[in-house]
Amino acid sequence: MGGVNTPIDLTAAFAAFDQAWSPRLAARVNDYDIRLARFAGEHVWHVHNDTDEFFLVIAGEIEIALRDPDERTVVLPQGSLFVVPRGTYHKPSSAGGAQVLLVEPTGTLSVGDDHDEVPAHVDATTGHALELTS
């Protein structure tokens, strides 16, 4: 995992994997993971009861459907960031595919504390190691 002495090129990092909804652990800041994820299609409705979730769109565009309490959707083009407050059900998606940087407490499950049935294309994980070649 990247640290102070190991810069990470985001272009190379995203080129190192292609599986959507399967975040890679790029770095750790205190007790938080910096995760890189590819979004394609729809994720699953889920909620993180005890933590906010930070999204920064590196490439592409995403939508995040929210139930807060009424249902609405926010659109995040490239270069945009958004924080989903803890306790808010949400469902990320990307029709055209996107590269996203996420910040979450270490060990946070990608499908939250409560979620709809997890479809086969969604990886329920706390993150995978980012493996870069030299």
Side-chain angles (χ1 to χ4, degrees):
M1 191 173 320
V4 176
N5 296 319
T6 310
I8 295 176
D9 178 293
L10 291 180
T11 301
F14 278 108
F17 70 100
D18 59 6
Q19 185 179 3
W21 309 118
S22 185
R24 299 308 192 258
L25 302 171
R28 182 166 291 139
V29 178
N30 299 315
D31 297 329
Y32 286 82
D33 289 338
I34 307 302
R35 299 176 183 186
L36 304 177
R38 290 183 171 278
F39 287 18
E42 295 188 351
H43 196 264
V44 61
W45 278 105
H46 66 284
V47 64
H48 301 282
N49 294 324
D50 300 318
T51 186
D52 302 333
E53 187 171 16
F54 174 95
F55 295 81
L56 171 62
V57 181
I58 303 298
E61 180 177 279
I62 70 171
E63 293 185 350
I64 303 176
L66 303 162
R67 294 179 183 150
D68 66 346
D70 297 326
E71 196 165 315
R72 67 183 176 106
T73 300
V74 295
V75 177
L76 302 175
Q78 180 173 321
S80 297
L81 67 85
F82 186 76
V83 176
V84 174
R86 69 189 73 204
T88 302
Y89 276 89
H90 58 288
K91 181 170 102 172
S93 64
S94 179
Q99 298 173 356
V100 181
L101 184 146
L102 303 150
V103 179
E104 299 177 294
T106 299
T108 300
L109 190 60
S110 62
V111 294
D113 302 310
D114 186 30
H115 50 79
D116 287 347
E117 183 175 336
V118 179
H121 73 277
V122 172
D123 183 12
T125 182
T126 57
H128 300 283
L130 176 63
E131 297 181 21
L132 297 172
T133 58
S134 302

